[in-house]
Amino acid sequence: MKNIKAVLLIVMTIAAGAASAQYMQEKPNVEYMFKIEAGYLHNVGNYGKPAAEPTTTDIQGTGYNLNMWEEAMGLNIINGINISQDFFLGGGLGYNFCAPMRPARFDKSSHMAVAFIDMDFRPVGDIWAPMVGARIGGSFLMNSNNYGNTISPYLEVYGGLNWFYDHALQQMDRNYHSLFVETGVLLVQGTIFIPVRVGWRW
């Protein structure tokens, strides 16, 4: 009987060790992640100095106050690393199409290219998980008006909700596939936007 107990104890110890090793392999500290998101940017106001006069040539770095009726639609593509499942750090590129929407005047549109560093935190212990994050970078506005092209800082803080639609294990080991929605405050080109986006991460 003692021999049987000893054998069972050895087998259980080996099985526990193998399961623990597998569990550690399933949870790397760092893993590649990709995000893509698109949405609507609602213009709520301007900040800083008004747009430069048309005769001014040195306006690099000042930004350009978009008119209050100019809204935007945008797309961001972000690559980075997932750290200990909950933290994300990456770099992104984006494009925003800006045009008057009240009424719609697409012939008066301008185009905004952005590059930024993206950071977010989202605990992945449940199927639904909250998310908070921030982005900092730069924006290049390709404008068709008299002010020409302008470069400005890009700063955003946001929050959202993730739905882990394809989780293999309840603890989300090595599975970060999710759909998400996010909103926040975006400061760019001397203009304040409220973005509302939907996205996909994997």
Side-chain angles (χ1 to χ4, degrees), residues 97-113:
F97 174 81
C98 309
M101 294 294 177
R102 293 169 274 172
R105 287 291 306 274
F106 297 113
D107 58 318
K108 299 292 184 179
S109 64
S110 54
H111 311 272
M112 189 189 308

Side-chain angles (χ1 to χ4, degrees), residues 10-193:
I10 292 171
V11 170
M12 291 175 63
T13 302
I14 293 173
S20 177
Q22 180 66 23
Y23 179 75
M24 294 303 293
Q25 291 176 3
E26 294 284 352
K27 294 183 64 177
N29 287 330
V30 176
E31 189 170 70
Y32 170 77
M33 178 177 283
F34 177 82
K35 296 196 296 184
I36 184 170
E37 57 187 32
Y40 164 71
L41 284 67
H42 177 60
N43 187 336
V44 296
N46 295 327
Y47 67 93
K49 296 180 180 180
E53 293 298 326
T55 56
T56 300
T57 58
D58 185 17
I59 59 175
Q60 296 298 313
T62 63
Y64 170 73
N65 290 140
L66 297 177
N67 293 323
M68 282 294 295
W69 56 84
E70 289 188 73
E71 311 287 353
M73 303 293 289
L75 175 69
N76 293 331
I77 297 176
I78 306 162
N79 286 276
I81 56 173
N82 205 52
I83 305 170
S84 298
Q85 292 197 350
D86 294 341
F87 297 93
F88 172 78
L89 176 63
L93 296 174
Y95 166 77
N96 297 312
F97 174 81
C98 309
M101 294 294 177
R102 293 169 274 172
R105 287 291 306 274
F106 297 113
D107 58 318
K108 299 292 184 179
S109 64
S110 54
H111 311 272
M112 189 189 308
V114 298
F116 53 83
I117 296 172
D118 183 25
M119 302 164 284
D120 74 46
F121 169 73
R122 73 203 183 293
V124 293
D126 295 303
I127 296 175
W128 295 93
M131 170 180 64
V132 293
R135 295 178 178 133
I136 184 170
S139 163
F140 179 69
L141 183 67
M142 298 164 279
N143 232 348
S144 58
N145 59 38
N146 294 330
Y147 300 104
N149 303 329
T150 62
I151 297 173
S152 84
Y154 178 100
L155 178 63
E156 180 179 357
V157 291
Y158 62 91
L161 183 65
N162 286 267
W163 171 44
F164 294 92
Y165 62 89
D166 184 27
H167 64 287
L169 300 173
Q170 186 62 32
Q171 296 303 315
M172 304 298 171
D173 301 331
R174 286 185 63 83
N175 194 321
Y176 316 112
H177 299 172
S178 69
L179 299 174
F180 60 88
V181 294
E182 65 184 28
T183 187
V185 178
L186 169 62
L187 308 179
V188 63
Q189 295 294 339
T191 306
I192 305 171
F193 288 101

